[in-house]
Amino acid sequence: MAPAPEKAPAQHPPADGRPVQIFQVSTLYGAATLAASLDAGQFGPRQDARRLLLISRNAEIPETALRMETMTGYERIAGRFDGVLDWNGTIHPYHPAAWAPRPEEAPLWQRVLRTAWDLGSAPVELIVESIQVNPAKALAGAFPESALHVYADGLMSYGPTRNDLAQSIACRIRRVLHLDLVPGLRPLLLSEYGVEPELVPDSAFRAVLAEIAEEAADDPEIVRAAAAEPTALMLGQYLAALDLLTVDEEEELHVRMLRGAAAAGHRSVVFKPHPSAPAGYSTALRAEADRSGVRLTVLDGPLLAETFYERCRPRLVVGCFSTAMFTAAVYYGVPVARVGTAEVLARLTPFENSNRIPLTVVDHLVADLEGGGTPAVPGAAPESLTPLVRAVGYCMRHKSHPGMREETAAYLAAHHADPEVAHHFDTERLGLLGLPGGTGAVGRGSGLQSRLRGLARSRRS
């Protein structure tokens, strides 16, 4: 008689009576942020709660996306948790970005999840990213009595909440945990609901990045890149996937980054493409590198860009508006420069697109490599940044922040004619809001009233 097959080890231990904390992540960078927060004691002593890491793959075709479990450094981070859960597998065949339980189904789905994840009857606390969309909204709906903590792992935390939240969700959010990527700039995210931001300590996050880099010390991709003795790193973002650029335009953007680095004197350059970018993106870069006499190394393994910073210590990081630019500057002291930021900002639609604040921050703080700017570490936010970000944020989501109208009007009255400020705003939108600099009207309500009168005339005719 054949022996019984060995039972696969459980991905999560059975319920033991302790409260449960579920940490939902979709990126290794986000998981690293949570690891730093745990190390800093922001979720209490480890023995006080059972901690489960819930991984979701939110790509358009999740089955073809890079799995977090395959990325260098994942095991170090996962070791901080008592178990790992797979959201995609749990809700299969539904897509994580599209599915959420209907309110009347919430009790049923909570029972399903408690059974599938061996939660028993323990109280559950949810730590999620992007609470305004699924899967975070789905989790909040399935556990309507659970406290919520939101963490933000990038520059979008400085912008307004992109969608309105149901009061039943908003009233349960305890805080917004975020990295201090722009010291002195306060996040707008969830501020309209009275949620306070809380910093993840720099030292804790830097230590987690060092752990990941140590794990990657012998990685063939890193060893190969380090052997080229690079002095500059270029960051790809795959903006074509967000419909911000065409594939050809994004390819040309990367070429422009290379030209800028070469013009600044760099002769060994590394390109870190976005994990979702097609392989062909590096073809045009290689041709340009040959023309420019630059040694190009493509770092396309399952690695965070921060792993490269730790090992190779470049003298320049170039990007469009990637959060990794500020990670390089804040945590490693590497000078940064931008390419193409203003063009993407100019064509970004709709105005409330949540990429607008990251673009605004980078455009305002980071030197333009093609415009002759000197790469630098941005440092603390200058006095000019906060009023600009708040004014842009108000124009993006004015109904959510009515208390910011007067300060926005005052700021625009003083600065709307300044070219360095004007390109951050749409004149038609300013007109609709009755703000200085708007098309055809200046002053409270006048632009909106004019547009409404025009609509009324159209209907009558």
Side-chain angles (χ1 to χ4, degrees):
M1 182 175 180
E6 184 177 346
K7 186 177 180 181
Q11 287 293 301
H12 47 87
D16 58 10
R18 288 180 296 167
V20 176
Q21 295 172 331
I22 297 177
F23 297 79
Q24 177 255 321
V25 298
S26 63
T27 67
L28 188 61
Y29 191 94
T33 303
L34 289 177
S37 182
L38 289 172
D39 292 350
Q42 292 178 302
F43 287 96
R46 178 166 183 168
Q47 66 271 17
D48 287 357
R50 181 171 163 233
R51 293 171 175 170
L52 300 176
L53 183 67
L54 175 62
I55 298 176
S56 62
R57 297 181 301 282
N58 304 336
E60 186 175 351
I61 307 177
E63 294 78 10
T64 64
L66 178 68
R67 294 183 69 94
M68 189 189 307
E69 302 92 317
T70 66
M71 295 190 70
T72 303
Y74 164 79
E75 294 295 340
R76 292 283 190 103
I77 291 175
R80 290 169 166 83
F81 299 88
D82 298 305
V84 179
L85 308 171
D86 182 348
W87 180 247
N88 294 62
T90 300
I91 67 168
H92 180 80
Y94 299 107
H95 192 285
W99 179 83
R102 292 192 293 266
E104 63 272 19
E105 297 174 340
L108 172 63
W109 271 101
Q110 182 171 154
R111 289 197 295 273
V112 169
L113 295 177
R114 283 184 176 275
T115 301
W117 296 342
D118 290 327
L119 304 182
S121 59
V124 171
E125 198 171 18
L126 299 173
I127 300 90
V128 299
E129 60 183 0
S130 303
I131 184 60
Q132 61 271 23
V133 295
N134 293 320
K137 277 181 67 176
L139 281 166
F143 294 91
E145 73 287 348
S146 294
L148 296 164
H149 304 262
V150 174
Y151 72 93
D153 60 2
L155 295 173
M156 283 187 184
S157 64
Y158 297 110
T161 316
R162 57 179 163 172
N163 298 318
D164 292 333
L165 295 180
Q167 189 58 32
S168 60
I169 290 179
C171 68
R172 292 187 278 139
I173 302 174
R174 301 292 182 258
R175 55 184 170 169
V176 175
L177 291 158
H178 70 103
L179 299 171
D180 200 13
L181 296 171
V182 187
L185 184 62
R186 183 180 174 87
L188 278 174
L189 180 66
L190 297 172
S191 61
E192 68 269 40
Y193 301 105
V195 179
E196 289 293 319
E198 183 176 328
L199 286 173
V200 176
D202 287 350
S203 57
F205 187 64
R206 183 67 176 77
V208 172
L209 295 180
E211 266 188 63
I212 295 173
E214 182 182 350
E215 186 77 9
D218 298 324
D219 186 281
E221 288 284 325
I222 288 290
V223 172
R224 181 174 61 87
E229 298 182 349
T231 59
L233 172 71
M234 305 186 311
L235 295 166
Q237 289 180 252
Y238 198 21
L239 304 179
L242 303 175
D243 292 326
L244 300 181
L245 296 176
T246 66
V247 171
D248 290 341
E249 287 170 336
E250 185 159 21
E251 194 169 11
E252 177 60 23
L253 178 65
H254 297 154
V255 169
R256 289 165 57 190
M257 290 180 186
L258 181 63
R259 289 177 187 149
H266 297 275
R267 288 294 170 263
S268 182
V269 176
V270 169
F271 175 57
K272 179 69 176 71
H274 189 279
S276 301
Y281 266 22
S282 60
T283 304
L285 270 177
R286 293 190 187 281
E288 180 61 33
D290 290 341
R291 285 192 294 270
S292 303
V294 171
R295 181 176 183 177
L296 176 68
T297 305
V298 178
L299 189 66
D300 55 4
L303 300 160
L304 287 178
E306 289 72 18
T307 307
F308 175 85
Y309 303 155
E310 184 81 31
R311 175 67 183 272
C312 299
R313 299 301 173 111
R315 298 200 300 270
L316 170 68
V317 171
V318 185
C320 184
F321 63 100
S322 171
T323 292
M325 297 167 68
F326 280 80
T327 311
V330 171
Y331 299 105
Y332 295 91
V334 179
V336 295
R338 59 180 168 89
V339 171
T341 309
E343 294 97 309
V344 176
L345 181 62
R347 64 196 297 177
L348 188 66
T349 57
F351 193 85
E352 56 270 24
N353 189 307
S354 54
N355 290 293
R356 186 169 298 281
I357 291 297
L359 281 160
T360 296
V361 170
V362 173
D363 181 83
H364 193 73
L365 293 184
V366 179
D368 181 2
L369 191 61
E370 294 178 304
T374 301
V377 176
E383 292 183 1
S384 57
L385 181 62
T386 293
L388 171 62
V389 167
R390 288 177 64 82
V392 172
Y394 172 77
C395 292
M396 290 171 66
R397 299 279 294 164
H398 64 282
K399 291 181 180 178
S400 300
H401 296 276
M404 290 165 53
R405 180 182 175 85
E406 289 189 11
E407 65 179 271
T408 299
Y411 175 78
L412 288 168
H415 299 284
H416 74 84
D418 181 351
E420 295 298 315
V421 171
H423 72 284
H424 291 286
F425 298 90
D426 177 76
T427 57
E428 183 176 358
R429 193 174 189 89
L430 293 180
L432 284 170
L433 297 176
L435 292 168
T439 303
V442 174
R444 180 171 181 134
S446 57
L448 179 59
Q449 291 166 5
S450 175
R451 175 59 63 92
L452 291 175
R453 285 195 296 270
L455 290 173
R457 286 194 298 270
S458 297
R459 291 194 183 100
R460 286 196 299 271
S461 61

